[in-house]
């Protein structure tokens, strides 16, 4: 469960689920805490009891020895041997009690891990932060970003108006996902600025910013719960009908229906035995259910077969109407309809424009397009 929470941190944060999850974590760690307390108590008691018992036993033995000796029933050497035996029996008893204190230390380190998990995962918003009420436009100005030493994005600028679709294409490792993560403010930029509706992103509360995004990411994340709960993650109050409708729109309904428990099937950690494509369909259903004003689809259909993908395209198109969308795709046909297509290479935007403009420019995009087109023809 804890692992699950750490892994799915991004999705959790996005669906405004943080509070709920933190409460859950707190509850569980509280339970574990009380268990620790009990073990500690018991351990202390056991230690006192053994010590008392051992000492009492020793004293009794010593007295018996003394009495026997004084009554001349045993000689001095026998008495001495008895004392030595008693003394040497002390060692193992001490070892036993050390063993239990080792156990205690192990438990204590478990406790430290838990307190680490319960800590605030992120920085606080600045005092002056405002809630994002409406999303009109997004401007990225001269943004650079590095994970530590490695420069990932250099001097990236773009702007998207409300209702526009921005397609992003580029080789693996060119920084596409990183750019999206900056938009959602999982990281702060090193230089340059990102504005949403005219507010610098650093002046917007994280909760309201993330509530404005619906996303299907490359790494799907499902929690250990029923399918129903997984779909309703961003909208816990959704009715059964709404959930089924979202699942139908994302073409997940078919495979869910075939599961023995249907919507009440409990998923294992990270989706359990579902296929990668089925997991993606569930994540799409999730977004279809809550429909925030901005959408981020990072290779959202990469593991879905082409026929199902085609069917979902229509639902996607409907979903994107009036919303500001960012779509990352390797398959160019997925982003062909976008208002602006960015072609990224090593953290730079090397070409930008609509499909027609880019084709006219006869550059990198045109080459890519022709080569992919040839592949599909074959
Ligand atoms: P793909 O098409 O494979 O999804 P991408 O364009 O989305 O690739 P990014 O995920 O943005 O690529 O990664 C860009 C570079 O940043 C890569 O070289 C990657 O190794 C590095 N990188 C990504 N995430 C991290 C991270 N959390 N810490 C350090 N380096 C990272
Ligand atoms: Mg990526």
């Amino acid at each position: 469960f804890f692992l699950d929470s750490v892994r799915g941190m991004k999705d959790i944060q996005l669906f405004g689920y943080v509070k709920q999850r933190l409460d859950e974590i707190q509850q569980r760690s509280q339970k574990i805490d009380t268990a620790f307390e009990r073990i500690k108590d018991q351990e202390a008691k056991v230690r006192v009891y053994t010590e008392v018992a051992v000492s009492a036993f020793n004293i009794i033995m010593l007295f018996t020895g003394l009495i026997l000796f004084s009554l001349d029933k045993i000689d001095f050497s026998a008495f001495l041997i008895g004392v030595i035996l008693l003394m040497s029996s002390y060692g193992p008893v001490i070892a036993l009690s050390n063993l239990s204190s080792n156990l205690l230390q192990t438990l204590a380190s478990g406790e430290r891990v838990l307190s680490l998990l319960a800590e605030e995962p992120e920085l606080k918003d600045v005092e002056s932060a405002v809630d994002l009420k409406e999303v009109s436009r997004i401007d990225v100005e001269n943004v650079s970003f590095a994970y530590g030493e490695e420069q990932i994005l250099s001097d990236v600028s773009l702007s998207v108006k409300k209702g526009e679709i921005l397609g992003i294409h580029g080789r693996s490792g060119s920084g596409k996902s990183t750019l999206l993560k900056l938009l959602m403010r999982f990281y702060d930029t090193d230089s340059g600025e990102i504005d949403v509706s005219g507010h610098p992103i650093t002046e917007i509360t994280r909760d309201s910013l993330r509530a404005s995004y619906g996303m299907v990411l490359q790494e799907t994340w499902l929690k250990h719960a029923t399918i129903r709960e997984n779909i309703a993650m961003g909208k816990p109050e959704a009715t059964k009908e709404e959930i089924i409708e979202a699942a139908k729109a994302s073409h997940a309904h078919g495979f869910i229906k075939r599961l023995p428990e249907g919507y009440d099937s409990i998923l294992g950690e990270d989706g359990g035995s579902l296929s990668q494509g089925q997991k993606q369909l569930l994540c799409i259903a999730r977004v279809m259910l809550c429909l925030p004003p901005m959408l981020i689809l990072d290779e959202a259909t990469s593991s879905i077969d082409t026929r199902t993908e085609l069917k979902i395209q229509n639902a996607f198109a409907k979903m994107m109407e009036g919303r500001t969308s960012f779509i990352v795709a390797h398959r160019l046909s997925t982003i062909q309809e976008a208002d602006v297509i960015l072609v990224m290479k090593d953290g730079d935007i090397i070409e930008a424009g609509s499909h027609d403009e880019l084709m006219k420019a006869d550059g990198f995009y045109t080459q890519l397009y022709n080569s992919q087109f040839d592949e599909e023809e074959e």
Side-chain angles (χ1 to χ4, degrees), residues 82-128:
V83 170
I84 290 170
L85 278 179
L86 268 184
M87 269 157 63
S88 59
S89 73
Y90 226 86
V93 173
I94 301 260
L96 270 178
S97 76
N98 276 350
L99 202 77
S100 60
S101 86
N102 277 348
L103 182 73
L104 204 73
Q105 273 165 15
T106 315
L107 290 177
S109 52
E111 232 172 343
R112 275 200 296 277
V113 172
L114 286 182
S115 66
L116 198 77
L117 277 174
E119 246 167 51
E120 290 271 323
E122 279 186 304
L123 302 164
K124 285 257 182 303
D125 292 319
V126 290
E127 289 273 325
S128 54

Side-chain angles (χ1 to χ4, degrees), residues 278-296:
Q278 289 171 331
K279 289 185 210 170
Q280 274 189 333
L281 292 180
L282 283 185
C283 292
I284 294 170
R286 213 183 246 173
V287 174
M288 297 233 172
L289 183 66
C290 55
L291 289 178
M294 293 190 280
L295 295 174
I296 284 188

Side-chain angles (χ1 to χ4, degrees), residues 147 150 152 170-178 181 187 218 330:
Y147 290 109
E150 201 188 350
I152 308 294
R171 289 238 179 84
S172 283
S174 55
K176 304 179 297 290
S177 300
T178 306
K181 281 172 191 163
Y187 305 102
Q218 256 172 328
H330 286 133

Side-chain angles (χ1 to χ4, degrees), residues 123-131 185 202-206:
L123 302 164
K124 285 257 182 303
D125 292 319
V126 290
E127 289 273 325
S128 54
V130 292
D131 279 337
R185 208 172 163 214
T202 48
E203 298 281 328
I204 298 172
T205 56
R206 281 188 171 82

